[in-house]
Amino acid sequence: MKAVILAAGESSRFWPLGRQHKSLIKIMGKPLIWYTLDGLRKSKIKEIIIVQSHKKDIEVELKKYKLGNLKMKYLIQKKPLGSGNALWQARNFLKDNFLVLNGDVVNSQELIGEILKKFNKEKSKAILLGQKTETPELFGMMKLKRDRILEIIEKPKKGKEPSDIKVVGVYFLEPTFFATYKKVKKHPYDFEAALSEYMKKNEVKLALLKKPEEDIPSFLKYPWHLFNIRKYLFNKFLKRKIENSAKISKNVQIQGKVYVGKNTKIFEGAVIKGPCYIGDNCIIGNNTLVREYTNLENNILIGALAEVTRSIFQENVQTHSGYFGDSILDKDCEIGAGTITANIRLDRENIKSVVKGKKIDTGLKSFGVVMGQNAKAGIHVSFMPGILIGSNSIIGPHSFVKENIENNALFYTKYKGVTKEEH
């Protein structure tokens, strides 16, 4: 059996983390797609087709890692025309039943296991993975007759959903599906439309995940979904280890499951409370606290008297004193001393973020800031909860940020009002 991994989309709802495909975000030193492939390998799926964009960023990144006995084939989707068009690129290489999944399905072994269990029991020609959800308006929802799927309704309005079972995004299909896809009208959701058409003439079965959404990170749509994926990966894979070349000062406290990478330095008075991952060549300053599901990739500098909790930093981030809670910083961000990311509303309600002009309930009580690649903030900047900061933006010192900032913007607070400029 072959598996097709779809990793070519623009991921516009994942802004401001859009410098590369979202499956290349790193947790514990590896991109998310590495965990997807590792799960496929453990499921004894040996032939993998990856559909990537013209940038070939997936192929370039994966060459850095050992992938065991996996046989890889890379295809190009020239334009981001949706999942159906991406899968269409692989049609000539699929002669038997095949699996389809996204590149960020880090729990692929568990999910594929549910599909294969259903197949081995009933020998169904087509199987879709489903899961109960409390937010049907965000997903394709299944119309069901017992365990047979009759139709997929994409992002129904509240009260109009056909069931409470969402499409998870792992599919078991047969090559005849392509004949149906060829006939449907082409649009961004033509894959789901083709599935619905296919279901009219063919029996498609449901393999239902019984674990709740928060226990199985089955999707990555918005930046804050990384928090659940990070928690899953930490709980499953993180081990306590301090590399021999790391330099730990005598009165540093390291508690719980903590990984400390090669040549990392942790200075006097610092406290690390696991689970935490600290990569290679990092510096943790004097009297700094790093705690509770924080992921720091390689070459991170956390200055003295800072607190970092439940946050995800990609490579080459530099911060100084301040508080960084439930936040995501992409590569090469630089933050001045005294910066604070507010991460809880005063009324303790769910935090909302604005994505593509629409206010989205994140479902989180704690959520700080997300900063795109190479964003910079001066000293004593204050961020309100749920704010998204674009790549290459510059935020002046003493600024108060209460709304999103676009890519390449210069933002600073004046004594009277707020000014935005392009630079």
Side-chain angles (χ1 to χ4, degrees):
M1 188 185 299
K2 295 180 181 179
V4 181
I5 295 179
L6 307 181
E10 287 186 315
S11 308
S12 59
R13 287 169 295 193
F14 202 58
W15 182 86
L17 304 176
R19 61 186 168 86
Q20 56 185 356
H21 192 267
K22 60 185 178 180
S23 67
L24 295 180
I25 289 286
K26 290 183 179 179
I27 300 292
M28 294 193 295
K30 295 183 176 68
L32 300 183
I33 195 169
W34 183 92
Y35 296 100
T36 306
L37 290 167
D38 189 54
L40 288 167
R41 182 183 59 79
K42 291 175 179 176
S43 301
K44 304 189 186 314
I45 309 296
K46 296 181 180 180
E47 294 190 53
I48 312 295
I49 299 171
I50 296 182
V51 184
Q52 60 182 338
S53 75
H54 67 280
K55 295 187 293 185
K56 298 185 179 181
D57 51 356
I58 303 291
E59 186 175 356
V60 169
E61 181 65 28
L62 287 179
K63 285 181 178 178
K64 302 174 184 176
Y65 302 92
K66 294 180 180 179
L67 299 173
N69 60 348
L70 292 180
K71 183 179 178 181
M72 310 287 290
K73 185 174 188 62
Y74 295 95
L75 303 176
I76 302 296
Q77 184 186 28
K78 294 180 180 179
K79 296 181 180 180
L81 298 176
S83 298
N85 179 265
L87 179 58
W88 180 256
Q89 310 306 314
R91 67 194 182 280
N92 294 329
F93 303 95
L94 301 168
K95 305 303 180 185
D96 299 300
N97 284 80
F98 58 92
L99 290 160
V100 182
L101 65 164
N102 292 325
D104 49 60
V105 182
V106 297
N107 50 346
S108 56
Q109 182 183 13
E110 184 174 357
L111 302 189
I112 290 168
E114 292 296 325
I115 284 182
L116 296 182
K117 188 189 302 181
K118 184 81 172 182
F119 173 74
N120 291 330
K121 182 179 180 181
E122 302 184 16
K123 303 302 178 184
S124 303
K125 292 183 178 180
I127 302 169
L128 270 61
L129 201 61
Q131 184 181 38
K132 287 188 176 183
T133 182
E134 296 181 358
T135 54
E137 68 278 6
L138 298 179
F139 304 100
M141 301 300 294
M142 297 181 178
K143 183 179 180 181
L144 296 164
K145 184 177 181 180
R146 291 185 291 277
D147 69 339
R148 180 174 178 177
I149 309 169
L150 303 178
E151 189 179 0
I152 297 173
I153 309 299
E154 189 66 28
K155 298 181 177 64
K157 293 182 179 179
K158 281 194 175 182
K160 301 291 185 179
E161 57 271 12
S163 70
D164 61 349
I165 307 298
K166 70 178 183 180
V167 179
V168 167
V170 182
Y171 312 86
F172 178 79
L173 300 173
E174 58 176 347
T176 57
F177 169 77
F178 290 109
T180 303
Y181 177 78
K182 189 176 181 179
K183 296 176 183 178
V184 300
K185 183 179 179 180
K186 301 302 180 280
H187 55 83
Y189 298 110
D190 56 17
F191 179 55
E192 291 78 8
L195 284 170
S196 291
E197 285 298 313
Y198 180 84
M199 291 166 185
K200 292 178 181 180
K201 297 181 180 180
N202 300 274
E203 188 174 69
V204 179
K205 290 298 190 75
L206 163 68
L208 182 64
L209 288 171
K210 295 182 179 179
K211 290 183 180 180
E213 286 180 292
E214 58 269 21
D215 292 343
I216 296 185
S218 56
F219 62 95
L220 179 58
K221 187 172 294 187
Y222 299 110
W224 55 88
H225 291 154
L226 281 170
F227 294 132
N228 202 28
I229 287 176
R230 169 213 51 199
K231 186 174 182 180
Y232 173 87
L233 292 175
F234 271 34
N235 290 343
K236 188 173 180 65
F237 295 113
L238 183 64
K239 306 294 183 184
R240 181 181 171 96
K241 182 179 181 181
I242 300 174
E243 295 287 353
N244 292 333
S245 58
K247 297 181 179 180
I248 314 296
S249 297
K250 290 184 178 180
N251 62 342
V252 168
Q253 297 182 46
I254 299 179
Q255 304 170 9
K257 286 198 297 184
V258 174
Y259 174 85
V260 180
K262 297 174 183 177
N263 302 311
T264 284
K265 300 176 182 178
I266 303 180
F267 286 92
E268 291 82 0
V271 177
I272 316 295
K273 294 186 175 183
C276 287
Y277 175 90
I278 303 173
D280 299 340
N281 304 306
C282 295
I283 294 176
I284 309 298
N286 298 78
N287 302 307
T288 280
L289 171 62
V290 178
R291 64 183 177 94
E292 200 178 353
Y293 289 99
T294 286
N295 183 92
L296 305 179
E297 292 298 324
N298 295 342
N299 305 305
I300 302 294
L301 167 62
I302 308 293
L305 303 171
E307 179 178 355
V308 184
T309 180
R310 298 183 301 274
S311 291
I312 300 170
F313 289 4
Q314 297 298 284
E315 298 99 325
N316 306 314
V317 169
Q318 296 186 27
T319 71
H320 298 278
S321 63
Y323 176 74
F324 306 92
D326 303 281
S327 295
I328 305 169
L329 274 60
D330 206 346
K331 285 180 64 175
D332 304 317
C333 288
E334 296 180 13
I335 312 295
T339 293
I340 302 293
T341 63
N343 61 336
I344 299 175
R345 289 170 53 120
L346 288 174
D347 58 10
R348 299 305 192 261
E349 294 296 320
N350 285 355
I351 294 168
K352 297 178 174 64
S353 283
V354 177
V355 179
K356 301 180 73 172
K358 184 179 179 182
K359 188 173 284 189
I360 305 293
D361 186 343
T362 66
L364 301 174
K365 300 293 185 184
S366 300
F367 179 30
V369 66
V370 181
M371 300 184 73
Q373 184 176 5
N374 199 41
K376 294 177 171 56
I379 62 170
H380 296 290
V381 173
S382 299
F383 295 96
M384 291 295 284
I387 298 301
L388 311 179
I389 308 298
S391 297
N392 302 308
S393 57
I394 295 177
I395 302 170
H398 295 277
S399 291
F400 174 54
V401 185
K402 59 179 181 179
E403 60 183 18
N404 291 354
I405 297 175
E406 297 302 317
N407 296 340
N408 305 306
L410 172 62
F411 177 100
Y412 57 93
T413 302
K414 285 187 173 182
Y415 290 108
K416 295 181 180 179
V418 173
T419 298
K420 287 183 179 178
E421 296 178 3
E422 294 296 321
H423 71 86

